[in-house]
Amino acid sequence: MNIYIVFDSEGGHTKALAQAIADGAARIDGAVVHLRSVEEADVYALADMDAIIWGSPGHFGTISSGLKQWIDKLGYLWAEGKLINKIGAVFCTTATEHGGLEATLLNLITPMLHHGMIIAGLPGNIPENATYGSYYGVGVACPIDSAEVISEQGRQLGMALGERVAGLTARFVK
């Protein structure tokens, strides 16, 4: 079961969240996690993946230009239906609690819906998510004036999303 995680990171916060998601996915037997920055990520590899998770810093409630440029290369996959019925999930980081986390997550989900992917959010029965998260994916505020790259709550949420995506994907991949 192949899980591809693609991220754009500018200050290390989104990279830390991507790593937490990868760690969570790796907890599920049979999961092979491919963690790539947008600079390394291969759009051609997506056709062979079972699940795709992508994330970026939130820029005024939308996707960073780095990840958006990478997503814009997926047109041929859309034309050939190569991502239909693959599991998808999203994540983002912002500098403030009200920095557009949910708007960014929704903007990240939209291309997945266009590709016919099955979106995996994060349910409210996860304690950290009920008080700190979002149902659309994982959005974490990482204040720029903090020495902490990502909070422990943020890391736990990332791990929960990775584990959820890998667990759901295992149900589809036999």
Side-chain angles (χ1 to χ4, degrees):
M1 163 176 64
N2 286 294
I3 300 169
Y4 208 75
I5 302 172
V6 180
F7 65 92
D8 186 18
S9 188
E10 296 159 355
H13 306 288
T14 310
K15 180 179 181 179
L17 183 54
Q19 184 63 60
I21 293 166
D23 292 346
R27 289 178 168 179
I28 302 299
D29 286 340
V32 178
V33 181
H34 308 268
L35 180 62
R36 305 283 187 272
S37 70
V38 290
E39 293 86 10
E40 312 169 297
D42 179 7
V43 295
Y44 298 101
L46 296 183
D48 297 324
M49 297 298 131
D50 301 302
I52 301 161
I53 306 169
W54 60 47
S56 75
H59 286 200
F60 308 106
T62 195
I63 305 168
S64 69
S65 62
L67 184 63
K68 177 68 168 89
Q69 186 176 25
W70 186 83
I71 290 170
D72 286 346
K73 297 176 186 175
L74 305 181
Y76 85 95
L77 290 168
W78 173 84
E80 296 180 12
K82 297 286 187 180
L83 304 185
I84 292 173
N85 293 331
K86 293 187 185 288
I87 303 293
V90 299
F91 62 98
C92 73
T93 58
T94 61
T96 63
E97 282 187 41
H98 302 289
L101 287 170
E102 288 193 334
T104 301
L105 293 171
L106 290 169
N107 280 303
L108 287 165
I109 288 170
T110 301
M112 291 183 164
L113 292 170
H114 280 256
H115 281 277
M117 296 175 69
I118 301 165
I119 308 302
L122 205 55
N125 68 338
I126 296 168
E128 294 85 2
N129 199 44
T131 59
Y132 184 69
S134 170
Y135 302 112
Y136 308 119
V138 173
V140 177
C142 303
I144 56 175
D145 60 352
S146 173
E148 191 175 55
V149 177
I150 188 173
S151 69
E152 184 55 30
Q153 268 185 321
R155 180 163 167 65
Q156 291 301 317
L157 282 169
M159 290 177 63
L161 181 67
E163 192 169 350
R164 177 166 165 76
V165 169
L168 288 171
T169 304
R171 291 178 169 185
F172 286 88
V173 176
K174 298 292 179 197

